[in-house]
């Protein structure tokens, strides 16, 4: 896992990729920005008896008009739980298939994202850190990342009009399962970080003054891998090639089956890989003679980790797991 050196994932990775794909010589991709899918319609093909997605209706939020795309070749549902609920509830054809209605029943967890700008640089032992067992978390889990350490020399963290000498630490904080914090004001959330959590973790934060802050609240948007949810998570292949071959699923929560990757457990990385796998799968059933995108495997675990896993496996054959029921 690596932190991006400059800017954000959106402006440093996604935007350049979209610009490249939108060029005519690279396929002439059309990006429907500001549009939200309302309904996916499915027809049964009389030749092979399978169902195919043929039409998408979407709302252009800028004009307020509902428009449609006819004779579509395929669909990749790169959606989280809320997006899946919205699309499936508005698409009776999809809802009739258990794999999609079950996926639409899953819930997400609340997340709060915070960005803090300080008047001085604070040195930490590690640029990536975790909050744990603080009462002020109110049941949430928390992380904080020192962006000025991850992106040293990136003046964009502060803005082009700020001199380098005036740049203090920039801290990105995230709270997961943050329902107990969602009702707090943005000022109170920032205050919990500056007065309690950060100084308790790194004492030098007590001497730093907050210059600016930003807080974003996102209710129910992050995948909740709750016990018993696995069988309801959407498969990479959707309803399957024997039933609905031109609708695939991508995201950190999909079941990838035999295409499972070593990034399992890493949400952003797994979502990224699943997108390639979904595109490859869709092209296999809708295009002839295409070249699959190569999905690189993760590096092998180091020998000491493998040894520890093997020792643990052998010990657990004899030691009762008293901490689980």
């Amino acid at each position: 896992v690596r932190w991006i050196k400059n800017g954000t994932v959106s402006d440093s990775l996604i935007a350049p990729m979209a610009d490249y794909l939108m060029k005519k010589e690279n396929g002439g991709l059309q990006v429907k920005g500001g549009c939200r899918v309302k309904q996916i319609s499915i027809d049964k093909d009389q030749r092979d008896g399978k169902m195919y997605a043929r039409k998408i209706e979407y709302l252009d939020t800028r004009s307020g008009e509902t428009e449609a795309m006819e004779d579509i070749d395929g669909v990749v549902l790169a959606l989280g739980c809320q997006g899946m609920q919205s699309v499936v509830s508005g698409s009776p054809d999809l809802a009739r298939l258990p794999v999609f209605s079950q996926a639409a029943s899953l819930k997400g967890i609340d997340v709060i994202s915070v960005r803090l700008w300080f008047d001085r640089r604070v040195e930490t032992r590690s640029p990536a850190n975790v909050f744990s067992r603080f009462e002020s978390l109110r049941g949430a889990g928390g992380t904080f990342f020192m962006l000025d350490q991850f992106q040293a020399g990136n003046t964009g963290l502060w803005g082009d009009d700020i001199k380098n000498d005036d740049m203090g630490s920039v801290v990105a904080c995230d709270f997961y399962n943050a329902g107990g914090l969602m009702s707090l004001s943005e000022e109170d959330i920032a205050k919990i970080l500056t007065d309690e959590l950060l100084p308790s973790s790194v004492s030098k934060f007590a001497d730093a003054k907050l210059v600016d802050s930003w807080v974003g609240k996102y209710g129910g948007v992050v995948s909740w891998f709750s016990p018993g949810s696995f069988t309801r998570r959407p498969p990479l292949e959707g309803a399957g090639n024997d039933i609905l071959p031109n609708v695939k699923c991508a995201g950190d929560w999909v079941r990838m089956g035999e295409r499972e990757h070593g990034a399992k457990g890493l949400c952003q990385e797994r979502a990224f890989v699943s997108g390639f796998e979904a595109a490859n799968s869709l092209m296999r059933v809708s295009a002839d003679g295409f070249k699959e995108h190569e999905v690189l495997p993760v590096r092998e675990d180091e020998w000491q980790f493998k040894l520890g896993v093997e020792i643990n496996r052998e010990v657990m054959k004899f030691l009762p797991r008293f901490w689980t029921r």
Side-chain angles (χ1 to χ4, degrees):
V1 181
R2 296 187 180 184
W3 196 276
I4 192 167
K5 289 185 177 180
N6 289 290
T8 64
V9 171
S10 177
D11 60 32
S12 296
L13 295 181
I14 303 302
M17 180 177 66
D19 291 339
Y20 174 84
L21 294 174
M22 286 190 290
K23 293 180 180 178
K24 188 175 181 179
E25 62 269 25
N26 297 324
L29 174 73
Q30 291 186 25
V31 178
K32 300 286 187 179
C35 296
R36 185 172 66 247
V37 174
K38 295 188 66 177
Q39 181 175 353
I40 298 175
S41 299
I42 296 172
D43 292 331
K44 187 173 184 178
D45 193 310
Q46 298 302 321
R47 294 171 296 179
D48 60 11
K50 299 179 182 179
M51 295 181 289
Y52 292 87
R54 297 300 188 195
K55 178 181 178 181
I56 293 179
E57 295 179 53
Y58 61 91
L59 173 67
D60 189 328
T61 58
R62 293 165 296 187
S63 66
E65 299 291 329
T66 297
E67 301 182 23
M69 297 174 61
E70 307 274 358
D71 298 322
I72 60 175
D73 296 316
V75 176
V76 175
L77 295 173
L79 303 169
C81 52
Q82 286 190 346
M84 185 69 78
Q85 292 166 12
S86 176
V87 171
V88 173
S89 63
S91 306
D93 294 343
L94 282 182
R96 294 188 186 100
L97 298 171
V99 68
F100 295 111
S101 61
Q102 289 183 47
S105 71
L106 294 174
K107 308 298 181 183
I109 61 173
D110 300 330
V111 174
I112 297 176
S113 183
V114 184
R115 184 71 63 91
L116 303 172
W117 288 263
F118 289 94
D119 68 336
R120 66 189 67 190
R121 294 190 184 275
V122 177
E123 297 298 326
T124 60
R125 286 185 299 176
S126 170
N129 304 275
V130 176
F131 294 124
S132 178
R133 299 184 181 180
F134 288 98
E135 289 187 8
S136 51
L137 287 171
R138 305 189 185 191
T143 59
F144 72 95
F145 301 95
M146 305 299 296
L147 300 190
D148 55 296
Q149 296 179 30
F150 277 120
Q151 300 183 348
N154 177 18
T155 57
L157 290 173
W158 276 87
D160 296 333
D161 57 339
I162 304 297
K163 295 181 180 179
N164 188 59
D165 293 340
D166 298 328
M167 297 178 186
S169 285
V170 182
V171 186
C173 307
D174 295 310
F175 298 106
Y176 298 93
N177 192 33
L181 298 169
M182 291 288 282
S183 59
L184 294 178
S185 67
E186 295 181 3
E187 293 78 10
D188 286 341
I189 292 172
K191 190 176 180 61
I192 286 175
L193 282 163
T194 57
D195 292 2
E196 300 179 46
L197 296 176
L198 289 173
S200 297
S201 303
V202 181
S203 59
K204 291 183 180 179
F205 271 111
D207 300 323
K209 293 183 180 180
L210 184 66
V211 176
D212 199 0
S213 65
W214 172 88
V215 177
K217 298 179 181 180
Y218 310 98
V221 298
V222 172
S223 301
W224 182 21
F225 300 99
S226 57
S229 67
F230 179 80
T231 56
R232 291 185 290 160
R233 286 160 49 190
L236 177 79
E237 301 292 346
N241 290 335
D242 295 335
I243 300 174
L244 183 61
N246 73 335
V247 176
K248 309 299 180 181
C249 299
D252 63 346
W253 64 329
V254 301
R255 288 181 284 153
M256 296 178 66
E258 63 181 14
R259 309 300 298 181
E260 188 56 80
H261 190 264
K264 185 176 182 180
L266 302 172
C267 292
Q268 294 185 46
E269 290 77 10
R270 192 170 187 274
F272 182 72
V273 169
S274 72
F276 286 130
E277 292 289 7
N280 284 338
S281 178
L282 182 60
M283 293 299 289
R284 280 195 289 268
V285 300
S286 61
D288 295 324
F290 88 102
K291 182 180 179 180
E292 288 194 13
H293 182 88
E294 181 184 6
V295 177
L296 301 177
V298 298
R299 291 177 296 181
E300 286 193 25
D301 293 325
E302 296 177 351
W303 67 267
Q304 63 269 28
F305 179 82
K306 290 182 178 180
L307 178 61
V309 170
E310 188 60 33
I311 293 175
N312 180 72
R313 183 182 293 113
E314 294 301 318
V315 171
M316 288 300 105
K317 291 180 180 179
F318 305 98
L319 182 66
R321 296 177 182 267
F322 58 86
W323 59 89
T324 62
R325 296 179 181 178

